[in-house]
Coordinates of all heavy atoms in Angstrom, one line a residue:
F890 N -4.2 -6.5 8.7 CA -5.4 -6.9 9.5 C -6.5 -5.8 9.5 O -7.7 -6.2 9.5 CB -4.9 -7.2 11.0 CG -6.1 -7.5 11.8 CD1 -6.6 -8.8 11.9 CD2 -6.5 -6.5 12.8 CE1 -7.7 -9.1 12.7 CE2 -7.6 -6.8 13.6 CZ -8.2 -8.0 13.6
L891 N -6.1 -4.6 9.3 CA -7.1 -3.5 9.5 C -8.3 -3.7 8.5 O -9.5 -3.4 8.8 CB -6.4 -2.2 9.3 CG -7.1 -1.0 9.8 CD1 -7.3 -1.1 11.4 CD2 -6.2 0.4 9.6
P892 N -8.1 -4.1 7.3 CA -9.2 -4.3 6.3 C -10.3 -5.2 6.8 O -11.4 -5.2 6.4 CB -8.6 -4.7 5.0 CG -7.2 -4.1 5.0 CD -6.8 -4.2 6.5
F893 N -9.8 -6.2 7.7 CA -10.8 -7.3 8.2 C -11.7 -6.6 9.1 O -12.9 -7.1 9.3 CB -10.1 -8.3 8.8 CG -9.3 -9.2 7.9 CD1 -8.0 -9.0 7.6 CD2 -10.0 -10.3 7.3 CE1 -7.3 -9.8 6.7 CE2 -9.2 -11.2 6.4 CZ -7.8 -10.9 6.1
V894 N -11.4 -5.5 9.8 CA -12.3 -4.8 10.7 C -12.8 -3.6 10.0 O -12.7 -2.5 10.4 CB -11.8 -4.5 12.0 CG1 -12.8 -4.1 13.0 CG2 -11.0 -5.6 12.5
S895 N -13.4 -3.7 8.8 CA -13.9 -2.7 8.0 C -15.0 -3.2 7.1 O -15.4 -4.3 7.3 CB -12.8 -2.1 7.1 OG -12.5 -2.9 6.1
S896 N -15.4 -2.4 6.2 CA -16.4 -2.7 5.2 C -15.8 -3.5 4.0 O -16.5 -3.7 3.0 CB -17.2 -1.7 4.6 OG -16.3 -0.8 4.0
A897 N -14.6 -4.0 4.1 CA -13.8 -4.7 2.9 C -14.5 -6.0 2.6 O -14.5 -6.3 1.5 CB -12.4 -4.7 3.3
F898 N -14.8 -6.7 3.7 CA -15.2 -8.1 3.4 C -16.7 -8.3 3.7 O -17.4 -9.2 3.1 CB -14.4 -9.1 4.5 CG -13.0 -9.2 4.0 CD1 -12.0 -8.2 4.6 CD2 -12.5 -10.1 3.1 CE1 -10.8 -8.3 4.2 CE2 -11.2 -10.1 2.8 CZ -10.3 -9.2 3.3
V899 N -17.3 -7.6 4.7 CA -18.7 -7.7 4.9 C -19.3 -6.3 5.2 O -18.5 -5.3 5.7 CB -19.1 -8.6 6.1 CG1 -18.7 -10.0 5.8 CG2 -18.3 -8.0 7.3
P900 N -20.5 -6.0 5.1 CA -21.1 -4.7 5.4 C -21.0 -4.4 6.9 O -21.1 -5.4 7.7 CB -22.6 -4.8 5.1 CG -22.6 -5.8 4.0 CD -21.6 -6.9 4.5
T901 N -20.6 -3.3 7.3 CA -20.4 -2.9 8.7 C -21.7 -3.1 9.5 O -21.7 -3.2 10.7 CB -19.9 -1.5 8.8 OG1 -20.8 -0.5 8.3 CG2 -18.5 -1.3 8.3
Q902 N -22.9 -3.0 8.9 CA -24.2 -3.1 9.5 C -24.3 -4.5 10.3 O -25.1 -4.6 11.2 CB -25.3 -2.9 8.6 CG -25.5 -1.5 8.1 CD -24.6 -1.3 6.8 OE1 -23.6 -2.1 6.6 NE2 -24.9 -0.2 6.1
T903 N -23.5 -5.5 9.8 CA -23.6 -6.8 10.4 C -22.8 -7.0 11.6 O -22.8 -8.1 12.3 CB -23.2 -7.9 9.3 OG1 -21.8 -7.7 9.1 CG2 -24.1 -7.8 8.1
M904 N -22.1 -6.0 12.0 CA -21.1 -6.1 13.2 C -21.8 -5.5 14.4 O -22.7 -4.7 14.4 CB -19.9 -5.2 12.8 CG -19.2 -5.6 11.5 SD -17.7 -4.5 11.2 CE -17.2 -5.1 9.7
P905 N -21.4 -6.1 15.6 CA -21.8 -5.6 16.9 C -21.4 -4.2 17.1 O -20.4 -3.7 16.6 CB -21.3 -6.6 17.9 CG -20.0 -7.2 17.3 CD -20.4 -7.3 15.8
G906 N -22.1 -3.6 18.1 CA -21.9 -2.1 18.3 C -20.4 -1.5 18.3 O -20.2 -0.7 17.4
P907 N -19.7 -1.9 19.3 CA -18.3 -1.2 19.3 C -17.6 -1.5 18.1 O -16.8 -0.6 17.6 CB -17.8 -1.8 20.6 CG -19.0 -2.3 21.4 CD -19.9 -2.8 20.4
V908 N -17.7 -2.8 17.6 CA -16.8 -3.2 16.5 C -17.3 -2.3 15.3 O -16.5 -1.9 14.4 CB -16.9 -4.6 16.2 CG1 -16.2 -5.0 14.9 CG2 -16.4 -5.4 17.3
R909 N -18.6 -2.2 15.1 CA -19.2 -1.5 14.0 C -18.7 0.0 14.2 O -18.4 0.5 13.0 CB -20.7 -1.5 14.1 CG -21.4 -0.7 13.0 CD -22.9 -0.8 12.9 NE -23.5 0.1 12.0 CZ -24.9 0.2 11.8 NH1 -25.6 -0.7 12.4 NH2 -25.3 1.0 10.9
W910 N -18.7 0.6 15.2 CA -18.2 2.0 15.4 C -16.9 2.1 14.9 O -16.5 3.2 14.2 CB -18.4 2.5 16.9 CG -18.0 4.0 17.0 CD1 -18.9 5.0 16.9 CD2 -16.8 4.5 17.3 NE1 -18.2 6.1 17.1 CE2 -16.8 5.9 17.3 CE3 -15.5 4.0 17.4 CZ2 -15.8 6.7 17.5 CZ3 -14.4 4.8 17.6 CH2 -14.5 6.0 17.6

Side-chain angles (χ1 to χ4, degrees):
F890 176 75
L891 204 56
F893 288 92
V894 193
S895 73
S896 63
F898 293 89
V899 297
T901 57
Q902 292 85 346
T903 64
M904 301 175 184
V908 178
R909 177 178 176 178
W910 183 91

